[in-house]
Amino acid sequence: MIEIVAAGALATVQDLGRIRLAQVGVPRSGAFDRRALRLANRLVGNPDDAASIEATLGIALRFDSAATIACTGARCDGVDWNTAVTLAAGTTITLRPPRTGLRSYVAVRGGIDVPPVLGSRSTDVLSDLGHAPLRAGDRLPVGPEPPAPVLGETARPTDRLVSALSVTFGPRDDWFTSAALDVLTSATWTVRAESNRVGLRLDGPALERRITTELASEPTLPGALQVPPDGRPILLGPDAPVTGGYPVIAVVDDAGFDVAAQLRPGDEISFTSTAGAGS
Amino acid sequence: MRVLPYGKRAVLIEVDDSATALQLHIDLRDEPGVIDCVPAARTVLVRYEERTDLARLAARAAEVLAQEHTPMPVGEPVTLNVRYDGADLASTAEELGMGVDDLVERHTAAEYVVGFCGFSPGFAYLTGLDPRLHIPRLASPRTSVPAGSVAIAGEYTGVYPRRSPGGWRLLGTTDAIVWDVTRADPALLTPGTVVRFRAA
């Protein structure tokens, strides 16, 4: 078992989330920084979709039994990063808040073995699915040894200074003025304090609408840049609802979504556009 | 029909109405390369695997639209027993300029079809509401609506699957469990399900 000694700002169990349930209203959820989760799992020999701990601004954990772990994502002092680490029974590790970035991942060989809900062990903070957010004193079971070996190497540093997120315009770019489309990719956007796993609220120049009628509810995906009437975009996170009534001006690609996972309130970003699918 | 980009692995197909969106959902979800096909009010979002032939998918969607479709019920019809004791029943009837009995009569007379789900897990938007009952949502949403509340807003009626905030007008309560994560099919009301309300 793993005991939560201190939970930091928000600690949850996350895998790659719930699939094919959007049609009954279930969000994807899952790790916000999917690249970091996959890396942590690979380092300890887990399948990519094993459940790990997503820690926000540090965490402290005590391991009852000997364990092999890997920590990735926002780099914290207190343990070797991006590499498999073997811990003796009874070890406590303390990940201090990272200097940059927001979310860190702790994978344990065998995975976190809380009961799956709707095919996933992920905590969805909006829909109340999966294990409740972790609190000091919670104890998490570890699953059986996976067949794959531990990787005896250190992954190249994943600390990224990238702050330009690649987006594909649409589906509702035609609801905005052409000036607004330019503004989206030329302005600097600041992450607001009211940001979480449901969405990152951004501050910057208002994106002006060309069509001002109300939009009938549309399906959404994590990464969509939804624009409410105040003109300031919200980047939908993993726990965002599956439908929304505000027009989506553009969608952030997978790599940009992982970068977004690491943004803190006050961080500045920009968007660059790439061509999308469709006709 | 318009096919709009939604990132690199999905398209949003825009159609004229909810019935057409539902038809696309039913006919496209098992197409090769389609991961899922999620309906909403006037659109479906199709997520597809890499290397999927988008032109073929769009042609298939156009084909579905060109068909003469008779509404195809999905699964068993569901009848929900309702106690019409909602907090907004009287005020909504008054705003609509009708008696409470007339409102209940109209709400129970119609046959509804689940157009899509959203807002929260298991929350189904039921289409087919009597146009005389179309009314905007509450000016100020409630912070907490009990599970099983039967409500109307805009052109839809629905049942709150669990306690949550909500701005729809509460007409009554049902004991039916519309959402249960421990069931094989957690949602009682899925897109295409035919639903009736009966005054209990």
Side-chain angles (χ1 to χ4, degrees):
Chain A
M1 301 284 260
I2 302 173
E3 184 178 326
I4 313 300
V5 177
L10 173 69
T12 55
V13 176
Q14 297 295 342
D15 53 22
L16 288 176
R18 299 183 175 84
I19 55 166
R20 294 190 176 88
L21 289 167
Q23 59 176 312
V24 292
V26 178
R28 182 177 81 194
S29 190
F32 205 146
D33 186 342
R34 294 156 70 84
R35 181 171 178 261
L37 174 80
R38 287 192 182 97
L39 173 63
N41 276 328
R42 285 173 193 177
L43 287 167
V44 297
N46 284 344
D48 278 10
D49 61 352
S52 299
I53 296 171
E54 180 179 279
T56 312
L57 299 175
I59 193 167
L61 304 168
R62 183 184 177 279
F63 294 80
D64 287 355
S65 313
T68 301
I69 66 162
C71 299
T72 63
R75 184 186 291 263
C76 303
D77 288 336
V79 65
D80 285 344
W81 215 251
N82 293 331
T83 190
V85 176
T86 302
L87 304 176
T91 305
T92 296
I93 60 166
T94 302
L95 306 187
R96 285 184 281 280
R99 279 182 287 277
T100 59
L102 186 62
R103 296 185 168 89
S104 312
Y105 295 83
V106 182
V108 57
R109 184 163 166 81
I112 304 292
D113 198 18
V114 295
V117 175
L118 301 175
S120 162
R121 295 180 170 83
S122 292
T123 300
D124 183 326
V125 297
L126 188 72
S127 296
D128 279 335
L129 299 171
H131 196 290
L134 301 174
R135 299 190 311 178
D138 284 353
R139 294 170 61 77
L140 301 173
V142 176
E145 283 272 307
V150 173
L151 282 189
E153 59 190 70
T154 300
R156 60 193 165 76
T158 52
D159 301 1
R160 282 154 289 175
L161 297 170
V162 185
S163 60
L165 279 59
S166 162
V167 300
T168 303
F169 276 114
R172 296 297 178 189
D173 47 333
D174 61 345
W175 278 50
F176 295 85
T177 62
S178 58
L181 302 183
D182 290 340
V183 166
L184 181 70
T185 52
S186 60
T188 298
W189 301 92
T190 308
V191 177
R192 286 159 60 188
E194 317 90 281
S195 296
N196 52 33
R197 284 180 46 87
V198 178
L200 258 63
R201 291 167 184 270
L202 304 175
D203 231 343
L207 297 169
E208 202 193 332
R209 292 256 293 260
R210 190 173 67 80
I211 300 173
T212 52
T213 51
E214 220 177 292
L215 181 73
S217 279
E218 295 193 335
T220 61
L221 284 176
L225 286 168
Q226 202 181 55
V227 184
D230 72 1
R232 297 186 293 177
I234 301 170
L235 197 167
L236 299 185
D239 294 355
V242 300
T243 56
Y246 300 130
V248 170
I249 189 171
V251 179
V252 173
D253 69 16
D254 287 354
F257 190 74
D258 294 337
V259 173
Q262 299 299 350
L263 297 173
R264 297 180 177 198
D267 281 351
E268 292 186 339
I269 51 164
S270 62
F271 297 108
T272 58
S273 97
T274 57
S279 52
Chain B
M1 179 185 84
R2 288 204 301 163
V3 180
L4 307 167
Y6 208 110
K8 296 218 185 293
R9 300 274 187 77
V11 287
L12 188 73
I13 304 180
E14 183 184 49
V15 293
D16 291 336
D17 53 39
S18 178
T20 314
L22 187 58
Q23 197 64 44
L24 277 179
H25 158 69
I26 291 165
D27 286 0
L28 291 186
R29 62 184 167 186
D30 297 324
E31 283 293 307
V34 170
I35 297 171
D36 61 10
C37 179
V38 180
R42 311 274 182 273
T43 48
V44 287
L45 181 67
V46 184
R47 287 199 307 130
Y48 51 85
E49 284 158 8
E50 255 176 305
R51 294 186 297 278
T52 297
D53 185 347
L54 264 190
R56 209 192 132 273
L57 197 64
R60 180 77 189 96
E63 211 175 282
V64 172
L65 262 59
Q67 285 161 15
E68 186 80 27
H69 27 76
T70 44
M72 182 175 47
V74 176
E76 289 295 305
V78 172
T79 299
L80 300 173
N81 291 322
V82 181
R83 292 185 302 281
Y84 282 90
D85 58 0
D88 302 319
L89 185 66
S91 58
T92 301
E94 195 182 325
E95 259 188 76
L96 289 168
M98 62 177 69
V100 166
D101 290 351
D102 193 12
L103 197 172
V104 171
E105 165 67 29
R106 288 173 186 274
H107 193 255
T108 50
E111 185 175 84
Y112 302 94
V113 176
V114 177
F116 61 100
C117 295
F119 174 65
S120 81
F123 190 100
Y125 288 73
L126 306 184
T127 62
L129 183 67
D130 185 329
R132 283 278 284 116
L133 304 188
H134 292 189
I135 186 166
R137 63 188 69 201
L138 297 170
S140 153
R142 288 186 170 84
T143 52
S144 180
V145 173
S149 296
V150 175
I152 58 172
E155 59 192 286
Y156 302 107
T157 184
V159 182
Y160 281 87
R162 61 184 183 109
R163 181 173 288 279
S164 68
W168 289 27
R169 292 161 187 264
L170 310 184
L171 302 187
T173 318
T174 180
D175 292 331
I177 308 295
V178 296
W179 176 252
D180 180 355
V181 294
T182 64
R183 287 196 301 232
D185 292 317
L188 179 65
L189 310 176
T190 62
T193 305
V194 173
V195 183
R196 282 182 163 278
F197 294 105
R198 185 164 57 200

